Amino acid sequence: KLAWNIQSALVDGFILFCVEGGPRLVELTRERQLPFVALELGVNDPTISAIGVDNLAGAKMAARHMAELGHARYGVLAMPFVDDRTGPIPISQVPAAIYSDSRSRVAGYFLVLKEHGIDTDAIPIYETKGEEQSARAGVDYFLSLPEPPTAIFAMSDRIALAAIERLQERGLEVPQDVSVIGFDGIPEAAFCDPPLTTIAQPITEIGRRAAIKVILDEDRSITRETLPVELIVRGSTAPTPSAERLRRRAERPAAKRHPAQKSS
């Protein structure tokens, strides 16, 4: 189906989203001899034009924000490192990830946390599929640990929103018990309860530049652009809980309650 779509589409060019792990996608697109640009800088092919963001810098911003709030216990709800896998993974498996966004974000988080004296080898990483079900499972895994995290790095806003909902269902307050930070800057992040602290990508600008590259670049020169990201601080992050609150949290039964209502 993919081959048929690319080979038969009546278009002047292609914008490829997430081409990593899909060399066949690039091969098929090249066969059309039409201009194309990838919305991904992790592709190790200097002959491909690509537009993306600095994932390492964004993750460092997120980690610095959490560290400056005083947190010492962290968890990472990761986007996929490889295909068709979810669950806790050791840090030793991260370098072998086929998706560079996930690799870079872990690297960014951990570089800053090491600077703040955090033992990053002890930070739990839960690989999700980037959707609600596996994100919720990741929260349950974190809460089953002897010392659950007080701060969660979610590699996408959608993962973060699912995590907040699950934490609330488990009777925890965000950010009083657990702080959560996302990555993307989707519109919904500003309207959840609490509003989500996130690393915002310039999504509109990425799309604009990609379209200009495909439509107007007549000489088809190879360009690779890295756009900056921005830390947007909202209500889902706060200073680390007090020792007394952590004690009460540890004693709290795991009974569920209804998640907080979203604000309009």
Side-chain angles (χ1 to χ4, degrees):
K1 183 177 179 180
L2 175 64
W4 183 87
N5 286 338
I6 293 177
Q7 292 166 347
S8 63
L10 299 176
V11 297
D12 295 318
F14 292 94
I15 297 175
L16 307 182
F17 182 66
C18 292
V19 302
E20 279 188 292
R24 178 61 175 159
L25 181 62
V26 175
E27 179 184 343
L28 291 169
T29 306
R30 279 180 165 150
E31 289 176 359
R32 287 293 305 272
Q33 297 185 357
L34 291 172
F36 68 92
V37 60
L39 303 188
E40 174 58 65
L41 285 172
V43 184
N44 296 318
D45 186 340
T47 68
I48 296 176
S49 289
I51 301 171
V53 299
D54 193 334
N55 288 288
L56 183 71
K60 291 171 73 173
M61 287 181 190
R64 191 170 296 111
H65 172 67
M66 290 292 206
E68 289 174 352
L69 290 172
H71 292 277
R73 288 160 35 186
Y74 297 89
V76 177
L77 286 175
M79 294 287 289
F81 294 106
V82 299
D83 293 325
D84 300 321
R85 183 181 71 184
T86 62
I89 68 163
I91 184 61
S92 61
Q93 292 186 17
V94 172
I98 63 174
Y99 295 109
S100 70
D101 284 3
S102 302
R103 285 198 313 267
S104 296
R105 292 178 190 182
V106 170
Y109 298 146
F110 286 12
L111 280 171
V112 169
L113 295 182
K114 285 179 180 177
E115 293 172 358
H116 285 79
I118 303 297
D119 178 10
T120 55
D121 289 340
I123 294 176
I125 303 172
Y126 193 95
E127 183 176 10
T128 77
K129 291 184 177 180
E131 42 64 68
E132 182 176 355
Q133 182 177 355
S134 55
R136 291 165 64 89
V139 170
D140 288 339
Y141 169 72
F142 289 158
L143 296 182
S144 73
L145 299 174
E147 292 191 332
T150 65
I152 292 176
F153 296 113
M155 284 193 191
S156 80
D157 286 353
R158 298 199 182 281
I159 292 174
L161 297 180
I164 289 174
E165 184 174 77
R166 185 56 178 158
L167 287 165
Q168 292 171 337
E169 288 176 354
R170 294 288 300 267
L172 298 174
E173 295 183 76
V174 178
Q176 293 88 341
D177 293 307
V178 185
S179 288
V180 179
I181 188 168
F183 202 118
D184 282 334
I186 64 174
E188 298 93 316
F191 301 104
C192 66
D193 185 12
L196 179 66
T197 296
T198 188
I199 303 298
Q201 305 185 56
I203 298 172
T204 301
E205 181 63 13
I206 290 172
R208 188 186 73 83
R209 294 194 186 196
I212 289 174
K213 174 65 182 174
V214 169
I215 297 170
L216 300 180
D217 189 359
E218 296 181 358
D219 64 4
R220 301 190 186 181
S221 59
I222 303 301
T223 59
R224 297 177 71 80
E225 294 186 72
T226 303
L227 302 184
V229 293
E230 176 187 6
L231 170 65
I232 298 179
V233 179
R234 298 192 181 108
S236 68
T237 53
T240 186
S242 65
E244 175 62 20
R245 190 172 185 97
L246 286 172
R247 183 188 65 77
R248 293 200 306 269
R249 169 180 149 177
E251 294 172 351
R252 182 181 299 149
K256 296 180 181 180
R257 66 176 176 84
H258 292 296
Q261 294 293 319
K262 302 288 189 294
S263 60
S264 58

